[in-house]
Amino acid sequence: MRVFVTRPIPEPGLAKLREAGHDVRVAPQDRKLDRAALLEGLAGAEAAITMLDDRIDAEAFDAGRGLRVVTNFAVGYNNIDVAAATARRIAVGNTPGVLTDATADLAWALLLAAARRLGEGEALVRAGQWEGWGPLQLLGWQVAGKTLGIVGAGRIGRAVARRGKGFDMRVLYYGRRDCPEIERETGARRVTLDELLAETDFLSLNCPLTPETHHLIGAPQLAAMKPTAILVNTARGPVVDEEALVEALKTGRIAAAGLDVYEKEPVVHPGLMDLKNVVLLPHVGSGTTETRAVMSVMCADNILAVFEKRQPPSVLNPEVL
Ligand code: DGY
């Protein structure tokens, strides 16, 4: 079978597909594939491994008439029209579980970097402008003992919360339903979004992007947060109204933010670029060598299972199998 991969990914999954006798065709350029090349690559393929910034919609599925399975090299799948896939009896897979720790670690890296002003400190030292220790220099915010607010108590939200226990934090969460695991693991309490915003010192966004979570955090929500609060987003950019966030950071409505994701990636709002109280990373939540290798294998396993009529490790529309 032909498997089209829209961008180079770590070798282990590709090797597994080749060893199983499949014809693996990887787009050669390490950048987002343009639309025409994407549609051309999908044509003639029985399976595809797609990236989170490839728009896989009805047009894409129609271009790939022979597709049996598409698996995203990501846990998030807001770039894929799963209903359009289901209508064409194409299975859609993703990579949950294997990137939980990497992404939770990165959320914490952002949280600590924003709280302790790591970017500003590093820039000062690198610029050769540091004149020595100062009692008022680059004062940040204490993390230990504060309140950690989690939006979305899925795997990653829970892992972020568990790390908070190591910092003696009180954990609150907001989600669509009760999550007994996060409550058991961290003593977290489920609250309304209003309560979460009012009580949280560090707000970590860990929900998927859906029509319900689009701009979940906008001007009214930012206004409801503490002026000392810090926002961390490792989920998807459009969960936050970036325009409103720029205003809140500029006017001191909230203290700081740590962002790994943006509304219009790879474009970053120019207002964010100008601010010192925001840490900006280039969507590297799952970006460890180990995790990306395992994601590659999970994509391969999703595809092999569909080809071999077995249950894939992660399929979003099992009804087509
Ligand atoms: C995902 O897998 O959805 C993450 O955003 C990758 O970093």
Side-chain angles (χ1 to χ4, degrees), residues 295-313:
M295 288 165 69
S296 161
V297 173
M298 191 162 182
C299 285
D301 287 342
N302 280 337
I303 291 171
L304 291 172
V306 172
F307 284 171
E308 295 163 13
K309 299 197 182 328
R310 293 182 282 107
Q311 183 66 30

Side-chain angles (χ1 to χ4, degrees), residues 4-320:
F4 177 56
V5 187
T6 67
R7 189 167 174 162
I9 62 170
E11 191 52 28
L14 305 177
K16 197 165 183 180
L17 289 165
R18 287 194 197 100
E19 277 157 25
H22 300 296
D23 169 16
V24 180
R25 302 198 183 181
V26 184
Q29 313 289 345
D30 187 17
R31 59 173 148 74
K32 179 176 155 58
L33 203 56
D34 67 52
R35 188 73 182 165
L38 174 73
L39 299 181
E40 197 184 313
L42 294 174
E46 274 84 22
I49 299 179
T50 54
M51 307 302 121
L52 54 80
D53 52 359
D54 295 324
R55 183 164 45 83
I56 308 299
D57 54 7
E59 183 191 35
F61 291 123
D62 287 341
R65 290 200 168 275
L67 283 170
R68 290 171 58 190
V69 51
V70 169
T71 179
N72 227 23
F73 186 75
V75 63
Y77 55 89
N78 50 289
N79 59 310
I80 301 186
D81 185 341
V82 180
T86 306
R88 292 160 179 80
R89 304 207 65 74
I90 299 168
V92 179
N94 65 340
T95 62
V98 296
L99 47 73
T100 301
D101 285 323
T103 309
D105 286 349
L106 194 89
W108 265 89
L110 282 170
L111 188 158
L112 290 168
R116 299 303 300 272
R117 304 174 62 181
L118 300 196
E120 288 174 83
E122 215 219 12
L124 184 78
V125 175
R126 282 188 187 276
Q129 288 168 358
W130 182 44
E131 291 173 356
W133 184 84
L136 299 177
Q137 193 172 59
L138 283 177
L139 302 186
W141 291 268
Q142 172 100 359
V143 175
K146 296 272 185 72
T147 297
L148 175 63
I150 304 286
V151 173
R155 292 179 193 81
I156 298 170
R158 280 167 48 202
V160 172
R162 283 196 300 274
R163 284 153 176 73
K165 289 317 286 174
F167 285 79
D168 297 326
M169 297 178 94
R170 174 172 81 122
V171 182
L172 302 176
Y173 74 102
Y174 167 71
R176 277 179 306 171
R177 57 183 81 87
D178 282 345
C179 177
E181 292 92 344
I182 198 172
E183 294 177 12
R184 193 178 55 246
E185 291 163 355
T186 69
R189 191 163 59 83
R190 184 172 172 219
V191 293
T192 62
L193 184 57
D194 287 347
E195 272 179 89
L196 191 79
L197 297 168
E199 296 207 20
T200 287
D201 298 301
F202 297 93
L203 185 66
S204 176
L205 305 181
N206 302 107
C207 54
L209 174 62
T210 64
E212 292 74 40
T213 62
H214 184 267
H215 283 191
L216 182 71
I217 305 297
Q221 290 73 30
L222 291 160
M225 290 170 73
K226 296 180 185 181
T228 50
I230 290 178
L231 174 74
V232 173
N233 190 5
T234 54
R236 285 290 182 266
V239 175
V240 176
D241 178 346
E242 233 164 53
E243 190 73 42
L245 178 62
V246 169
E247 196 55 26
L249 289 168
K250 215 195 281 181
T251 57
R253 233 345 288 152
I254 65 168
L259 306 176
D260 187 41
V261 290
Y262 305 89
E263 273 206 80
K264 299 188 173 86
E265 294 179 13
V267 177
V268 177
H269 192 296
L272 290 172
M273 300 288 236
D274 293 340
L275 292 171
K276 286 195 171 152
N277 56 344
V278 59
V279 181
L280 305 172
L281 292 182
H283 202 151
V284 288
S286 65
T288 69
T289 306
E290 298 91 333
T291 297
R292 290 279 165 86
V294 184
M295 288 165 69
S296 161
V297 173
M298 191 162 182
C299 285
D301 287 342
N302 280 337
I303 291 171
L304 291 172
V306 172
F307 284 171
E308 295 163 13
K309 299 197 182 328
R310 293 182 282 107
Q311 183 66 30
S314 181
V315 66
L316 298 160
N317 53 351
E319 62 273 28
V320 307

